[in-house]
Each structure stands twice: as C-alpha cells, then as structure tokens.
Amino acid sequence: MTDLSDLPPAWSGRSALAWSGRSALAWPAVPLLVALALWAYAVRHTDVSRLDDYGLVSALHPTFWAGLAVLTTGFWFTVRDTRRPGAWSAAYVLGLLVMERATQAVLYPTPLYAWAWKHEAVIDHLLTAGGLQTADQVGDMAVYDQWPGFFAAQAALQRLLGVDSAAMFMAWWPLVSSLLLLLPLLLIYRTFTEDRRLIWTAVWLFYVANWVGQDYFSPQSVAYALHVGVLAVVLRRFGRSAVRRGQPRQAVWTVVITVMIVAIVISHQLTPGMLVVCLLALCLSRRYRDWVPVVTTVVIFLAWCLTAALPFLSAAMPDMIRSIGDVGANVETGYGATPTGTGAIATSWAARLLSGSVLLLAGVGVWRQRVLRHRARPLLLVAAAPLPMFAASSYGSEMIFRVLLFMLPGAAFFAAAALLPKVRTLAADAAAQEAGNRQATGPARARRWGTGTWVPLAALLGTTLAFVPAYSGKDRINYFPPQEVALVRQLFDQAPDGSLVVAANRNYPDAYADYWSVDHYWFLDDGRSHVDQIVRSPAATLARDMAGVERPARAYFLLTQGQLANSEMNGQLDQAQLRRIQKSVAASPRFRLVAENSAGWLYVLKQSEGAER
C-alpha cells in the first residue's frame, strides 16, 4: 500500500467529539430521506406506456428530477464537512445507486436490453445442451461457448435459486453490478488518500459518469468488476512497501488475483486486454515495477486464446489484424448505429458532454493538485492506459465507449480533486501555522460558502442530472412491453425445429430463443441493395427469402415495436417504411396472420402455394 502518512486525514476522533451534537449528526438524513421520498412518489406517478424519442427523460414525473437535485445537494454539503461520519457519504452514494440503477427495474414490468435477453437464451441453451458446443452445432453463437464463465455461473445461480429463467432477476442486474464495484473503488481511492471528501466525491463521479450501459446482465459487467478488483489488489498489495512486508503474504495475494484473472479470461474477450495494458502502465512507475501480475495475466490470457477460444480467433484474426492502426474506422459508428431524430441526437450529445465534462475536470484536477499528481501517479497511468486501444480494434463500433469505461476509475478520482480545495501535506500546513497563516486548507476553509462551494456544486449537479438522458435516453429502443414479450414467446412456443424467423432487426425480446434449433434472419443486416429491394417489393421479396423452409418447419415474419424503434432511431428504415412492409405482407396471399397485438405482428408463410410472382 502506498505510504501517504503525510497527507491530511479526513476525520479524527477529536473532531468527532467536537461535532457530537445529536441534531447536527442527524442533519444529513433530512435531504436524503426527502430525496428518496420524492423518488418513490415519482416512480408511482410515471407512465412508461408511451415512451418517445427522449426515452425515460420525458416520461419521468418532475419529482424525480427534484429528488435527484436534493440528493446531490445534500451529498455535497455532507461530504465537504469532514467532521461528519463517513457513513453519511456512503448512504448518499447508495441512495444515488437506487435512483440511478433501480428506477428502470421498478418502472418497467419486463427486463431492458435485447442483449440481456440474448444472454438469457445462452444460459437456457447451456442448461438444455448440458455442455459446450462447437460452431458446427450452433453456428456463430458458439463464441459464447468459447467464453462460458459468466453463463456457467448464471446457470448455476439459476438452479440454486430454483427459477425457470434468468429473466426473473436480470432486471435488477444494473444495481447489483454497480454495488459490486463499490468496494474495489474504495480500496483504490484509499490507496492514494485518506481524505474522505475526495474518496466519496470520486465514487459519486464514477457512478454518474458510468452511463455507457455495460452494467446490464452481461459478461462485461462481471468482468469489469473483477478488472477493477484486480487493480485494487495490485495497487494496494504489490507496491514497493507491500513487497517489503514479506513474501508469504505476497504469495497469497498472487493467488487471489490469479483466481480473478482466470474468471475474467474465461468470461469476456476485451477485458483481459484492457487489464494487460493497465498493468503494463503500472510497471512504468518504479513504485509498482512488479512483473508478477502482468505476466500472470498474459500467460492465462494466451493459454485460453490458444485452446478454448482458438476456433473463434482463427476465423476473426484476419479482420482483427486489418483493424490495427485504423483509428478512424475503429471509432466511427457506421450504418445502423447513427442517432436519428431530435430525441436520439439530444441524448447522444448529453452522453458526450457528460464524458467530456468528467475528462475535462480530470485534467483540471491533475493540473491543480500537485500533491496528488505525484502521489497518485499510478492511478493517472491506469486512466491513460486504455487510450492506445483505439488503434487496436473497433470492437463492433463500441471501442470508444469501452475505452471511456476503463478510463473512468482514474478519471473520476482526478475529476473529484478538481472540485475540492487543494490538497496539502501536513508539513505544509504546519509551516503555514507557524507563520501565522490561518488559511490552510481543511475544515475551516471547507465551511466557507463562496464560489469554492457553489461552482463545484453546480458542476456536480450538472453531471448527475446529465446521467439520466445519457443512460436511459434510448429506453424507447431498450424497453419491450409485456405484449411484445408475449407475442415473441407465442412464436417460439409453436415454431417447430428447423423453422426460420425473419425480422427487421434483432431488437426484440427472446430474439435468440431456441437458436440451436431455429434459424434467424434479420434483413436489415443485409447489404443496402437487398434492403432497398425489400422496401420496393416487400411481400414478394420476403416470400422468396423464406421459401426454402420445408415441412414440418415453418417460416415466420415478425415485426415488433422494438424493431420499429431501433430501426428509426438508428438511421435505418423509418416507421413509415417498416409499416409499409407490414401492410404488404398482410395483404399478400402468401402470408397468414398468426397473432397480433399492440406491440407487433406475427405472420407465417403458407407452404402449400407456389412462389408469388
């Protein structure tokens, strides 16, 4: 652990005695309880039945925004006063997580995100098949069998809980995965400072800047928590001072990080690479020039890539090699991933401004806090380490978001430092007192309610409020109402093995259900020429595409609310074009309506007639 004994402690027993008044100690409970009461009222009076292009932002009851503002203000005045117990800051952070990550789980009757439903299908397949399978058996979905750690663990959890599906609990996963990050974040920040103001403000900024959405039910969420956990152990237990305390204890911590690294490597493709670059960056600091963690990670990573993951990597390697160094292509979004419409563009800019503001604050913190710039240099290296990954791969047009995610623990720390008074060593404070200078940083200065209080509060309030559109501004795409879930499940309940499901895109619940026995075709994934052909002559073109299915299998056409929202808001076909396709199919004698409701339509191709001309 880094020796920071000459930095001022945040709180002491003496100051606690000075602040022993029961009413003063209980004061932070007032804004916290008011904020949670406003949140509870808001979720009871928010209607999500008609989300617009602004997602949850415009649907939320106004009391939600009032509650978030009260919570942020209460946190700021609580955390700045170092005489208050740190438990109050922790309570405010937990309140923030409830308002940020539990709101959607409470409001929406079904889990969010098509990808979460996809992962639920992978778990179902693992339980059904009883083991891992190859590409010859499950096609492109075999990649999940080559990184099965998360899915195997969830399958075991599902059996332990006795539930039929992971959908029973995956709506709450964002809250769970965020809580998993709290302890390693505290350990990292406490490595570099004892100032609780800085620690808890950094934790707050980390959570409000973590809008990327990788906290949902996914391997990334667990792998990221383990990644931060490995960094916490390395930063605290592999520095020079820790090594001097003895090799037996060092061996124990080596075993601990090895277990976490194995879990990361068998669960996710990108996180081990990010961990390697972060550990290599730490080796640039003499304080952490210990090669055991990075060598351990590289060996385990290569061992997995050259064995279990080799089939996927062999097929993907040519494209991966071509993308190296192509920074422009690696960060661009491309067709079908460009926000379209006022709401989508506004929420996209909210996310960009939020990330840009936190990174700008981090730069200010590095510039202002000379002591931290020296003391927390390893954390600064960890924050900068993911940047070269821009040149490594596009990662499905998501590399820019992943880089931001992995920079965040370090960036949030220095951003918090920008909002607080300058850190000074105890020696500097003593010298100032001897000279009669009573303006040293500390509690007295913290109590001044000038620009040093209100300007940082405005910045903290702005970033906290911006989280909501950045995180939930696309809920029109990500939310699937119960009617849509029921329609899709009706399809897979009746589809025989070998059937084909045709849809505009994969943005609907259970899009990968029975993927080991039912084929899926999403026509918006095709080239633009074929999509244009479908738009010109929908029923005839789709009938030809679906004609190869033989009895007893069937060919189905599915169009749902989630597909319409995803296509329109991401710059593909608009709602009028997709409705024209649906009406053409409905009018065609080649198709028969199987089911419909307020969330979509399901048709089946008639197999007894000849091809439509």
Side-chain angles (χ1 to χ4, degrees):
M1 179 176 175
T2 306
D3 182 12
L4 296 180
S5 57
D6 62 336
L7 288 184
W11 177 77
S12 67
R14 184 179 302 172
S15 60
L17 292 175
W19 191 258
S20 58
R22 183 172 300 177
S23 60
L25 286 173
W27 177 87
V30 176
L32 177 60
L33 293 176
V34 169
L36 292 177
L38 290 171
W39 172 78
Y41 183 87
V43 296
R44 288 179 60 87
H45 294 82
T46 295
D47 182 12
V48 298
S49 61
R50 293 184 178 180
L51 294 173
D52 60 15
D53 288 354
Y54 292 90
L56 191 58
V57 176
S58 57
L60 281 168
H61 193 274
T63 53
F64 176 88
W65 302 99
L68 199 55
V70 170
L71 185 77
T72 306
T73 305
F75 167 79
W76 180 242
F77 284 104
T78 298
V79 78
R80 279 178 59 88
D81 196 330
T82 57
R83 296 169 299 180
R84 297 188 187 279
W88 283 117
S89 298
Y92 272 94
V93 168
L94 293 177
L96 175 72
L97 290 180
V98 169
M99 295 185 71
E100 280 187 347
R101 262 73 181 189
T103 298
Q104 292 167 315
V106 174
L107 286 176
Y108 298 127
T110 59
L112 292 176
Y113 301 112
W115 284 92
W117 289 88
K118 178 181 182 179
H119 296 153
E120 190 271 335
V122 176
I123 297 168
D124 185 38
H125 164 251
L126 192 60
L127 291 170
T128 302
L132 307 180
Q133 293 185 299
T134 64
D136 294 337
Q137 296 168 299
V138 290
D140 293 341
M141 295 295 289
V143 64
Y144 293 98
D145 288 54
Q146 292 167 36
W147 278 274
F150 172 81
F151 305 106
Q154 294 301 324
L157 178 63
Q158 186 173 317
R159 285 182 171 175
L160 180 65
L161 296 177
V163 297
D164 296 331
S165 168
M168 301 291 292
F169 56 82
M170 67 186 186
W172 292 93
W173 198 257
L175 178 61
V176 173
S177 62
S178 296
L179 288 172
L180 289 175
L181 287 164
L182 183 56
L183 177 59
L185 284 173
L186 290 174
L187 292 176
I188 289 174
Y189 297 150
R190 284 181 61 84
T191 303
F192 299 105
T193 182
E194 296 177 5
D195 189 337
R196 280 206 291 259
R197 299 171 304 169
L198 180 54
I199 292 170
W200 286 108
T201 305
V203 170
W204 184 282
L205 283 174
F206 173 88
Y207 282 124
V208 300
N210 188 13
W211 62 268
V212 175
Q214 296 306 312
D215 55 358
Y216 72 102
F217 188 71
S218 64
Q220 171 75 90
S221 63
V222 175
Y224 183 65
L226 291 170
H227 166 89
V228 179
V230 171
L231 292 180
V233 173
V234 171
L235 288 169
R236 291 182 68 86
R237 299 301 177 186
F238 282 82
R240 285 182 299 175
S241 59
V243 172
R244 287 196 297 267
R245 284 197 290 267
Q247 292 301 322
R249 182 177 295 181
Q250 202 71 8
V252 171
W253 290 113
T254 300
V255 172
V256 170
I257 66 167
T258 299
V259 172
M260 291 193 287
I261 291 168
V262 169
I264 292 171
V265 167
I266 67 174
S267 299
H268 197 246
Q269 301 94 335
L270 178 66
T271 305
M274 289 291 191
L275 181 59
V276 168
V277 298
C278 289
L279 294 176
L280 281 173
L282 282 179
C283 290
L284 298 176
S285 170
R286 288 185 300 175
R287 200 183 312 170
Y288 290 97
R289 195 161 293 169
D290 189 330
W291 292 95
V292 171
V294 67
V295 170
T296 302
T297 305
V298 170
V299 169
I300 296 173
F301 189 25
L302 289 178
W304 188 260
C305 290
L306 295 175
T307 54
L310 187 59
F312 169 79
L313 292 175
S314 298
M317 191 59 68
D319 289 336
M320 294 171 64
I321 293 175
R322 280 194 295 269
S323 68
I324 295 176
D326 191 358
V327 178
N330 289 344
V331 299
E332 67 182 1
T333 53
Y335 172 67
T338 303
T340 304
T342 304
I345 293 174
T347 55
S348 176
W349 273 105
R352 296 177 187 180
L353 291 173
L354 174 56
S355 293
S357 298
V358 171
L359 293 178
L360 179 61
L361 283 174
V364 173
V366 172
W367 173 71
R368 286 185 68 238
Q369 305 282 17
R370 185 176 62 180
V371 173
L372 290 179
R373 190 164 64 238
H374 170 69
R375 299 291 187 178
R377 185 175 300 165
L379 193 53
L380 184 60
L381 292 173
V382 168
L387 288 172
M389 297 298 285
F390 278 132
S393 171
S394 68
Y395 202 70
S397 299
E398 291 189 0
M399 183 56 74
I400 186 172
F401 304 120
R402 304 306 174 96
V403 168
L404 288 171
L405 179 66
F406 283 90
M407 291 177 65
L408 201 50
F413 180 82
F414 287 99
L419 300 180
L420 294 167
K422 287 187 178 181
V423 175
R424 300 197 34 198
T425 63
L426 293 180
D429 284 340
Q433 289 178 2
E434 289 178 3
N437 183 358
R438 299 302 180 183
Q439 297 181 358
T441 57
R445 185 173 178 179
R447 287 196 297 270
R448 293 183 180 179
W449 289 9
T451 56
T453 297
W454 299 109
V455 172
L457 172 59
L460 193 69
L461 189 59
T463 54
T464 303
L465 295 176
F467 170 85
V468 181
Y471 186 75
S472 58
K474 291 187 177 182
D475 279 8
R476 182 188 163 207
I477 294 176
N478 297 324
Y479 168 57
F480 309 114
Q483 298 88 341
E484 188 168 356
V485 176
L487 183 67
V488 176
R489 287 183 171 170
Q490 182 177 348
L491 160 62
F492 287 104
D493 285 344
Q494 66 174 303
D497 288 352
S499 293
L500 171 67
V501 176
V502 176
N505 53 54
R506 63 198 77 197
N507 193 61
Y508 54 94
D510 280 330
Y512 289 83
D514 297 341
Y515 64 83
W516 55 95
S517 61
V518 174
D519 292 327
H520 299 77
Y521 166 53
W522 301 287
F523 62 79
L524 287 180
D525 288 350
D526 277 351
R528 291 295 299 271
S529 60
H530 188 68
V531 173
D532 291 341
Q533 186 178 0
I534 292 175
V535 173
R536 286 194 301 269
S537 182
T541 305
L542 288 172
R544 286 195 296 269
D545 291 342
M546 301 164 64
V549 179
E550 299 180 356
R551 293 180 183 275
R554 309 298 299 272
Y556 298 89
F557 175 70
L558 175 71
L559 188 62
T560 64
Q561 175 178 306
Q563 297 173 55
L564 293 171
N566 186 78
S567 177
E568 187 170 51
M569 292 184 68
N570 282 324
Q572 294 178 307
L573 300 183
D574 60 30
Q575 187 166 166
Q577 291 172 308
L578 287 172
R579 288 299 302 272
R580 181 177 177 275
I581 292 173
Q582 179 267 322
K583 291 177 180 179
S584 175
V585 169
S588 171
R590 293 295 317 278
F591 292 90
R592 176 173 59 86
L593 180 66
V594 175
E596 71 172 313
N597 58 31
S598 59
W601 304 266
L602 175 63
Y603 299 89
V604 65
L605 181 69
K606 298 178 182 178
Q607 296 175 306
S608 59
E609 301 180 15
E612 182 177 353
R613 302 295 181 186

